[in-house]
DNA sequence: GACCATGATTCTAG
DNA sequence: CTAGAATCATGGTC
């Protein structure tokens, strides 16, 4: 038995109302001449209209009486049906819109940047991608991009907590409205379908708020990213102490200024820079030194003296500590010199200058 | 603003 | 992949 038939069955108390007649003005006119059933409907409507003129108690009593009326369910389903056919069908046309391309774009971006999606993985992948784009090695990225990742994680956290808040608010509001409509459906014609539609409308409204959240999150990520990449592009001179450490190593290993990986790591740690920066520095230094030895002579002498003084101090301390002076202790005891194993180049020919 | 110093990047050769 | 070399881009000084 379909809905229509069931509805009609429920209407048997109304007399000869036929399915095809519902909502048809001609049939209404026909019905009016039929007498009794029409009289019943008229009475009910009269009672409904009269409620507004009565006191609250009377109205409640009247409402209760109406609710208990034997024809109430039938009348109700007719009203629901009519409403369904008219208002809701018109409204429903523009409601079924496809997923918003804008929101899809934002979703994709947030996923790619590691803000949404699986925990951590996306974020570090994005950071690594950014590092690769900026020319950094993956090893260095762990140090260099920790700040970037920390900020990204912060954005991620804010995004998720806000999203959760919105979702909670949305479900709370939806539940509230649903309960309200269910409650009201006892007194006015509201079909489950209509409640469904109302829920969809609420979800759409909330998703537009979510879109704003996604948009501002995307903007924040873009700003962070551009700042991060700009910071990498900008050249900052190393501090004096770092340059001194590097120069000290360079001139004390002038015969073979190719620090091993371990030495580079140690120098990097000492100077507060990355290993690749150490490599860059040595690369630049070697080439520039070779190109213009005369210019660097003074600097070389300066560091030679410095190294000698340091070595003397160390050996003095060593002898004070009762340890027998070892040959070469003056030239091999500084930490940087201890790292001189592992030189690669065998064609460095600038030794004669030093 | 010119000029130099210097860190970073890119290309090439081994 | 690494070092050398050239080059770029920016910082600092005058």
């Amino acid at each position: 038995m379909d809905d229509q038939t069931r509805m009609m069955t429920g209407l048997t108390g109304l007399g000869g109302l036929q399915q095809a007649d519902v909502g048809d003005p001609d049939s209404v006119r026909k019905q009016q001449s039929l007498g009794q059933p029409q009289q019943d409907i008229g009475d009910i409507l009269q009672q409904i209209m009269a409620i507004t003129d009565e006191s609250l108690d009377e109205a409640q009593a009247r409402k209760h009486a109406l609710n208990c009326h034997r024809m109430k369910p039938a009348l109700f389903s007719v009203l629901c049906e009519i409403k369904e056919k008219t208002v809701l069908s018109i409204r429903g046309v523009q409601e079924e819109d496809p997923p918003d391309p804008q929101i899809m774009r934002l979703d994709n971006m947030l996923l790619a940047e590691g803000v949404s999606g699986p925990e951590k993985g996306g974020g570090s992948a994005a950071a690594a991608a950014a590092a690769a784009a900026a020319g950094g090695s993956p090893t260095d990225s762990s140090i260099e991009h920790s700040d970037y990742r920390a900020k990204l994680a912060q954005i991620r956290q804010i995004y998720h907590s806000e999203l959760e808040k919105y979702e909670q608010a949305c479900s709370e509001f939806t539940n509230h409205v649903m309960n309200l409509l269910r409650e009201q459906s006892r007194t006015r014609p509201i079909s489950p379908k209509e409640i469904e539609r109302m829920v969809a409308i609420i979800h759409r409204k909330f998703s537009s708020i979510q879109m704003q959240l996604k948009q501002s999150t995307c903007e924040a990520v873009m700003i962070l990213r551009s700042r991060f990449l700009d910071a990498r592009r900008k050249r900052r001179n190393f501090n004096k102490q770092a340059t001194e450490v590097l120069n000290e190593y360079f001139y004390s290993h002038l015969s073979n200024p190719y620090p091993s990986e371990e030495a580079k790591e140690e120098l990097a740690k000492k100077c507060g820079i990355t290993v690749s920066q150490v490599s860059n520095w040595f690369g630049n230094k070697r080439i520039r030194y070779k190109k213009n030895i005369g210019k660097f002579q003074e600097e070389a002498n300066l560091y030679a003296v410095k190294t000698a003084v340091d070595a003397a101090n160390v050996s003095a301390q060593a002898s004070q500590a009762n340890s027998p002076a070892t040959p070469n202790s003056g030239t091999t005891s500084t930490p940087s010199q201890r790292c001189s194993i592992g030189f690669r180049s065998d064609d460095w020919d600038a030794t004669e200058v030093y």
Side-chain angles (χ1 to χ4, degrees):
Chain A
M1 199 196 290
D2 64 30
D3 287 347
Q4 296 270 345
T5 328
R6 205 177 311 119
M7 183 188 81
M8 287 301 112
T9 319
L11 281 173
T12 41
L14 288 170
L17 256 182
Q18 295 304 306
Q19 181 178 341
D21 293 335
V22 177
D24 178 3
D26 285 342
S27 68
V28 172
R29 267 196 301 280
K30 270 185 259 164
Q31 303 288 321
Q32 278 168 349
S33 63
L34 291 176
Q36 182 56 32
Q38 207 53 46
Q39 188 64 39
D40 271 357
I41 296 170
D43 282 350
I44 292 166
L45 291 174
Q46 274 298 308
Q47 285 178 47
I48 292 167
M49 297 307 285
I51 286 175
T52 51
D53 301 329
E54 291 167 354
S55 72
L56 201 64
D57 285 345
E58 282 174 327
Q60 286 294 346
R62 182 79 64 181
K63 209 170 103 182
H64 182 72
L66 278 168
N67 271 335
C68 298
H69 195 281
R70 66 189 172 89
M71 292 204 309
K72 189 247 178 183
L75 185 60
F76 222 77
S77 45
V78 173
L79 286 170
C80 282
E81 184 77 12
I82 292 168
K83 195 174 175 186
E84 186 76 33
K85 276 185 179 166
T86 55
V87 188
L88 296 179
S89 61
I90 296 162
R91 221 190 277 163
V93 176
Q94 64 262 40
E95 277 172 7
E96 299 300 322
D97 43 12
D100 191 346
Q102 169 78 359
I103 214 159
M104 276 171 72
R105 226 178 51 226
L106 292 171
D107 277 338
N108 287 341
M109 188 190 156
L110 290 172
L111 201 66
E113 291 296 333
V115 177
S116 59
E119 188 77 33
K120 295 285 172 199
S124 51
S137 72
T139 327
D140 298 336
S141 72
S142 58
I143 309 155
E144 286 176 40
H145 312 316
S146 58
D147 198 33
Y148 173 81
R149 271 182 290 174
K151 292 222 159 71
L152 192 71
Q154 214 178 327
I155 291 173
R156 188 189 159 96
Q157 199 199 335
I158 292 167
Y159 170 76
H160 282 290
S161 77
E162 286 298 310
L163 200 66
E164 207 175 304
K165 266 191 233 165
Y166 282 135
E167 270 162 10
Q168 201 184 335
C170 180
S171 78
E172 269 175 25
F173 187 69
T174 308
N175 280 340
H176 177 72
V177 170
M178 272 167 74
N179 288 337
L180 211 65
L181 289 175
R182 279 202 198 109
E183 185 66 32
Q184 287 186 2
S185 70
R186 282 158 54 185
T187 49
R188 68 186 185 96
I190 301 170
S191 63
K193 221 174 183 177
E194 196 179 348
I195 294 175
E196 249 172 59
R197 285 214 177 92
M198 197 53 79
V199 167
I201 289 168
I202 293 166
H203 282 164
R204 260 202 301 284
K205 293 284 175 203
F206 270 89
S207 84
S208 79
I209 297 169
Q210 266 189 24
M211 190 164 86
Q212 281 174 25
L213 171 70
K214 283 173 181 175
Q215 194 144 20
S216 44
T217 307
C218 279
E219 277 166 19
V221 171
M222 292 312 280
I223 289 166
L224 176 69
R225 238 190 127 119
S226 70
R227 272 193 199 152
F228 169 75
L229 293 174
D230 283 350
R232 282 186 52 77
R233 247 181 263 129
K234 275 187 181 169
R235 186 180 65 80
R236 291 256 164 236
N237 287 352
F238 299 155
N239 63 39
K240 224 174 177 179
Q241 187 249 336
T243 316
E244 222 163 88
V245 169
L246 293 166
N247 271 318
E248 214 171 293
Y249 187 96
F250 181 81
Y251 288 112
S252 63
H253 296 83
L254 204 52
S255 59
N256 206 355
Y258 297 86
S260 63
E261 274 308 303
E262 295 79 48
K264 279 182 193 171
E265 274 166 29
E266 198 175 324
L267 286 167
K269 207 188 279 178
K270 262 187 177 175
C271 300
I273 56 178
T274 67
V275 172
S276 64
Q277 281 177 306
V278 172
S279 299
N280 284 340
W281 189 91
F282 273 88
N284 285 323
K285 190 72 183 179
R286 280 193 299 266
I287 196 83
R288 283 165 187 161
Y289 180 85
K290 232 179 177 179
K291 262 187 182 170
N292 198 345
I293 291 168
K295 199 183 88 181
F296 288 96
Q297 190 59 59
E298 204 182 324
E299 195 179 62
N301 291 338
L302 202 81
Y303 279 100
V305 171
K306 198 170 155 41
T307 311
V309 169
D310 285 352
N313 286 342
V314 170
S315 75
Q317 276 173 11
S319 57
Q320 264 180 2
N322 263 344
S323 77
T326 49
N328 294 332
S329 64
T331 53
T332 56
S333 54
T334 65
S336 56
Q337 283 167 327
R338 266 186 268 120
C339 300
S340 59
I341 16 134
F343 287 149
R344 278 199 187 80
S345 179
D346 50 4
D347 58 4
W348 175 258
D349 53 359
T351 46
E352 73 273 10
V353 190
Y354 186 54

